[in-house]
Amino acid sequence: MLATLVALGLAVVTALGLARVQVDTTVASLLPAGDPTVVALGREQLAFGGDPIAVLLQSRQAAQLLSGAPLRQEIALEARLAHLPGAAVVYGPGTTLNEVDRSLQQVLLDIAAERDALVARQVAAAKATGPGAAAAQQAAAAALRTFDDRYTGLLGSALRTGLPTVANGTLGPRLFLAAGGGGRPAFRWLVPDATHVAILVRPEPGLDQAATLALVRGAQRAVAASGLPLRSAIVSGYPVIIAALGHEVTSELPLLGGLSLAVVAAGFLLTRRHRPLWERLVALGTGAAAGAVTLAGFGWAGVHLSLGLLAFLPIILGVGTDYPIYALRQGRPRLIVATAAASAASLAVLAASPLPYVRDLGIGLASGLLASALLGVGVARLLGPTRTAEAPEAAPVAAAGSARLARAVLGGRRRAVATAVAAAALAVAGWVALGGLPLDSDPERLATGLPALQQGIQAQDVLGAAGELDVVVHAPDVLTPQLVSWYGRAQDAVVEAHGDQLRPIVSPASLLSWLGPDATAAQIDAADSLLPPYLTGAAIGSGRSEAVLSFGVRLGSFGADAALVHDIRAELPPLPPGATASISGLPAVAARSYELLAGGRVLPNLAGIGVFALALALALPRRRDAWKAALAAALAVGWGFGVLRLTGTPLSPLTVTLGSLTSAVGGEFAVMAAARVAGRTPRPWAAVVAAAATSIAGFAALAVSRLAVLRQFGVVLAGSVALALLAAWLVVATDDALRGARARQRAHGGQAGGAASPPPGPPAPRRSPEMIEVEA
């Protein structure tokens, strides 16, 4: 009764925890919170909003969205976008034109007021000197001629298109379009050409995955309901791609989890037919429960899971179901938990990764394996040991013929040593190749299959960019003459060196370019007060303590982004005293993630294998078996990296941790097989091959994912299991062959020396296959 209540309580707690699980593919899942790049991005977002969501609208006719009723509808759309939950600020041609109109009207009022004030001052001054009314009028007329000479030409040029009002149908095209129909450089980020306009929605800082996705969907609904005469409409940008990636992870989780469970169940039914059906179902259910309990733990802890979540369930279902079987077959609890702990220890090495999504995968898998072992032991104690008769195993051909294969491949001692040396040399070559393996960091390949990525590429063809890279300047006053001059030189230097990779969007240099190269402090202050805060706020923070030079960048590999960020830092001119600059934006975060991932590959992989070996050596009574397992894991990982090099397959953010993963999912093979071979169990490799087949079947479920990075991960991990099985066979068979050769040599030497052979004793007790499997 007590056990039933405990099980029901655990089920309820697990279900509630699963309901609390949340997915996060935002910046928080890419870099640790204290990383300088993340800190800089947070400061920039507080001042200017997050990386923009671009709403790209294409009209049916040239300049159709820049005047008349479509312009008014566009202004209404921008207003709706600005009121969406999670939107910090919206920039669009409609609102920009409206703000420019207000500024121009205010300028006209200011000029008229100044003209009237000038007349009044001149008349008052003339009267004060006493020459009479006529002289006062003459002085006023002279002052007006000077004033009008200065402003009449300017106003005539500015007002040739009519009064500055949105109702004026010629003002919008004149403001945004150049003579050839292309967008003017100052406003190309809003109007790239005559048939396209872009509305940029900057999210609030620190927006989580769910809120970002809601903002993107809200923008899509607002565009659909706008009534604009559109040929096409695309909502794109880095936040859109990231939100789509998070949604894909969430939606694929039940599919991949259910498919993994079905595939592993089929593997159980096909490879463990000598087991009772109820026992196989209990073992499968226990493994699935371990995965659910682990995910529920993340939910209760409030930890948002990242991309690694999709890889978690296939791995835990493929590997974690073995431990309940061991426990149900008269298992020794300490040995089972110790074996699981060794695998968990190798995965725990990933917890030291600076990247949250790699760390989450390691912690999740380590916790899942331990939960599987503990639940298996607990279920076995509740049900009691099973002592079913051991039926002949229908072993696979590779397992049934393992002895013949060993004799054919290894033969005598010399051939065994030569084979071992050749295998080790291949593994060393693979380990050496690890440092030169390319890291697949191209978003177009990592997120292939997502419609949001394709739409982002389409928008990039029009806007010339898909993301935003920013140079953020901090100073007590970012509008001093020295800094305003620096903005122009910095923007020119960046564009001159990288014009094929980026294009300027907005900066203080572009907003104040009409002042000329040698503007004074008074002129800058006057311009700042004249320009609409709506426009200046895109590049100058409130309080004038922050400024940003925004550049649009194309979708490219994170490695290229890292090189670009490095070059820009070196190319920026020296800042005036008291000012600092940093490079920010989501491309900068992705570049930093690449740098952390690309550095130090060999040591973390070796650490995973070393921790696995040390844990086994402390737990197993036969330390020789622990070193065999470690050697097999090192061989398998080296071969795996060699295969990746030969096939031209780059490392992904997940496969770069192959050392720990291979030790965890395939390291037990050598231990199991060594114990069964030592006990002379018939078909000693049957159980090992069955376990490997079940694991490979579970990993194969990742092949149905729409995300290329997960498909590649499934293939590589399944291949690593096959290599781990081969390495375990080679290590165990070579060790057995060498020990047999030494035993025959000693026996032959004893007979040659004339020593009498010892009398035959009673035969060694034969251990049952059940006990051999348990000791494995």
Side-chain angles (χ1 to χ4, degrees):
M1 181 64 179
L2 179 60
T4 303
L5 292 176
V6 171
L8 288 175
L10 180 61
V12 171
V13 171
T14 300
L16 293 176
L18 289 175
R20 296 169 59 92
V21 170
Q22 298 184 44
V23 176
D24 181 18
T25 57
T26 58
V27 174
S29 70
L30 297 177
L31 288 177
D35 189 271
T37 307
V38 177
V39 174
L41 180 64
R43 292 175 62 184
E44 181 197 0
Q45 290 183 344
L46 285 174
F48 303 101
D51 275 50
I53 297 170
V55 179
L56 182 63
L57 308 176
Q58 183 182 15
S59 62
R60 299 183 183 277
Q61 302 173 10
Q64 188 176 13
L65 301 178
L66 299 179
S67 62
L71 176 61
R72 291 190 290 273
Q73 290 174 315
E74 184 186 320
I75 294 174
L77 172 60
E78 293 174 20
R80 284 195 294 271
L81 293 174
H83 287 88
L84 288 176
V89 63
V90 172
Y91 293 100
T95 308
T96 299
L97 185 59
N98 215 357
E99 291 295 327
V100 169
D101 290 347
R102 292 178 183 177
S103 295
L104 290 176
Q105 291 172 13
Q106 185 62 47
V107 168
L108 292 178
L109 292 175
D110 290 344
I111 291 175
E114 178 62 22
R115 193 174 188 274
D116 293 340
L118 178 62
V119 172
R121 287 195 300 271
Q122 292 298 323
V123 170
K127 288 182 177 180
T129 58
Q137 292 297 330
Q138 291 176 358
L144 284 178
R145 283 194 297 271
T146 303
F147 185 90
D148 291 342
D149 289 342
R150 180 176 183 183
Y151 287 103
T152 300
L154 175 64
L155 291 176
S157 175
L159 298 180
R160 280 182 297 179
T161 57
L163 291 174
T165 171
V166 172
N168 182 353
T170 61
L171 184 60
R174 287 273 188 172
L175 179 65
F176 293 114
L177 298 178
R184 292 186 183 275
F187 292 109
R188 194 171 292 160
W189 54 294
L190 295 177
V191 182
D193 57 50
T195 59
H196 289 90
V197 300
I199 303 173
L200 303 185
V201 182
R202 288 193 176 274
E204 293 177 352
L207 214 59
D208 63 18
Q209 178 66 48
T212 301
L213 182 61
L215 177 58
V216 171
R217 289 179 172 173
Q220 293 169 339
R221 289 192 297 268
V223 172
S226 65
L228 285 165
L230 301 176
R231 184 182 301 275
S232 66
I234 296 175
V235 180
S236 67
Y238 265 69
V240 179
I241 296 175
I242 292 175
L245 180 62
H247 177 68
E248 186 67 22
V249 171
T250 305
S251 60
E252 281 193 7
L253 180 60
L255 171 64
L256 292 183
L259 182 60
S260 300
L261 186 61
V263 171
V264 172
F268 264 78
L269 295 176
L270 293 175
T271 62
R272 302 176 187 268
R273 287 176 289 177
H274 60 286
R275 304 294 194 195
L277 178 60
W278 70 266
E279 181 182 293
R280 285 177 279 172
L281 293 177
V282 169
L284 183 63
T286 304
V293 168
T294 304
L295 290 179
F298 279 102
W300 282 113
V303 177
H304 291 192
L305 299 178
S306 56
L307 182 63
L309 172 65
L310 281 182
F312 168 78
L313 282 178
I315 295 176
I316 203 64
L317 288 172
V319 179
T321 49
D322 288 336
Y323 296 107
I325 281 287
Y326 303 153
L328 289 169
R329 304 300 299 173
Q330 296 180 347
R332 299 176 183 177
R334 290 185 179 179
L335 188 58
I336 292 172
V337 174
T339 305
S343 296
S346 68
L347 291 166
V349 172
L350 301 181
S353 172
L355 304 179
Y357 59 91
V358 176
R359 184 172 64 241
D360 290 348
L361 178 61
I363 295 174
L365 289 177
S367 303
L369 287 182
L370 287 177
S372 175
L374 294 174
L375 286 175
V377 169
V379 170
R381 286 187 173 181
L382 288 175
L383 298 178
T386 60
R387 293 182 172 86
T388 56
E390 193 71 24
E393 297 183 1
V397 174
S402 61
R404 292 192 299 273
L405 181 62
R407 288 193 296 270
V409 175
L410 302 178
R413 181 175 182 179
R414 289 185 178 179
R415 189 189 298 178
V417 172
T419 303
V421 170
L426 290 175
V428 170
W431 279 99
V432 172
L434 172 59
L437 283 175
L439 185 61
D440 191 350
S441 59
D442 191 338
E444 295 188 32
R445 287 198 294 270
L446 295 179
T448 297
L450 294 181
L453 177 63
Q454 186 59 38
Q455 292 177 350
I457 296 174
Q458 293 175 9
Q460 176 179 265
D461 293 339
V462 177
L463 296 173
E468 184 177 293
L469 190 66
D470 302 322
V471 178
V472 185
V473 176
H474 294 271
D477 183 2
V478 295
L479 289 184
T480 63
Q482 294 81 6
L483 272 174
V484 170
S485 174
W486 183 90
Y487 299 139
R489 289 183 284 114
Q491 180 169 292
D492 291 343
V494 172
V495 173
E496 181 179 354
H498 306 285
D500 58 332
Q501 295 173 274
L502 50 74
R503 61 188 302 176
I505 298 179
V506 65
S507 69
S510 60
L511 291 176
L512 302 175
S513 60
W514 52 280
L515 290 178
D518 300 315
T520 65
Q523 290 172 334
I524 294 171
D525 291 340
D528 182 38
S529 63
L530 176 65
L531 290 174
Y534 172 79
L535 287 180
T536 58
I540 303 167
S542 60
R544 293 177 35 163
S545 61
E546 295 163 311
V548 62
L549 289 77
S550 297
F551 299 91
V553 295
R554 302 181 66 87
L555 277 174
S557 71
F558 298 154
D561 288 343
L564 179 62
V565 170
H566 179 271
D567 291 344
I568 290 176
R569 286 197 181 102
E571 292 156 358
L572 290 176
L575 281 160
T580 60
S582 61
I583 300 178
S584 185
L586 289 181
V589 171
R592 176 60 176 163
S593 176
Y594 172 86
E595 292 175 347
L596 292 176
L597 196 60
R601 303 179 187 179
V602 177
L603 184 59
N605 281 285
L606 287 176
I609 298 173
V611 169
F612 173 72
L614 180 61
L616 281 180
L618 295 176
L620 296 181
R622 289 160 46 96
R623 292 187 177 178
R624 186 183 185 90
D625 291 346
W627 305 127
K628 289 179 188 176
L631 178 58
L635 289 175
V637 175
W639 294 343
F641 287 134
V643 170
L644 293 179
R645 182 60 180 268
L646 290 176
T647 58
T649 303
L651 292 173
S652 75
L654 296 177
T655 57
V656 77
T657 60
L658 201 59
S660 293
L661 292 171
T662 301
S663 299
V665 303
E668 69 182 46
F669 296 160
V671 179
M672 292 176 62
R676 294 173 71 89
V677 168
R680 302 304 171 189
T681 304
R683 298 184 177 89
W685 287 92
V688 178
V689 173
T694 303
S695 298
I696 292 174
F699 305 150
L702 290 173
V704 305
S705 173
R706 289 206 302 174
L707 301 179
V709 63
L710 287 178
R711 293 197 301 270
Q712 181 198 12
F713 180 60
V715 171
V716 171
L717 198 54
S720 71
V721 172
L723 292 176
L725 179 63
L726 177 61
W729 175 85
L730 180 63
V731 169
V732 174
T734 301
D735 180 68
D736 189 50
L738 293 178
R739 293 177 68 182
R742 285 195 299 268
R744 288 192 297 273
Q745 187 177 21
R746 285 195 300 268
H748 180 71
Q751 293 176 3
S757 300
R766 179 182 177 86
R767 289 178 287 172
S768 69
E770 294 174 348
M771 295 305 298
I772 296 299
E773 183 177 356
V774 169
E775 292 177 6

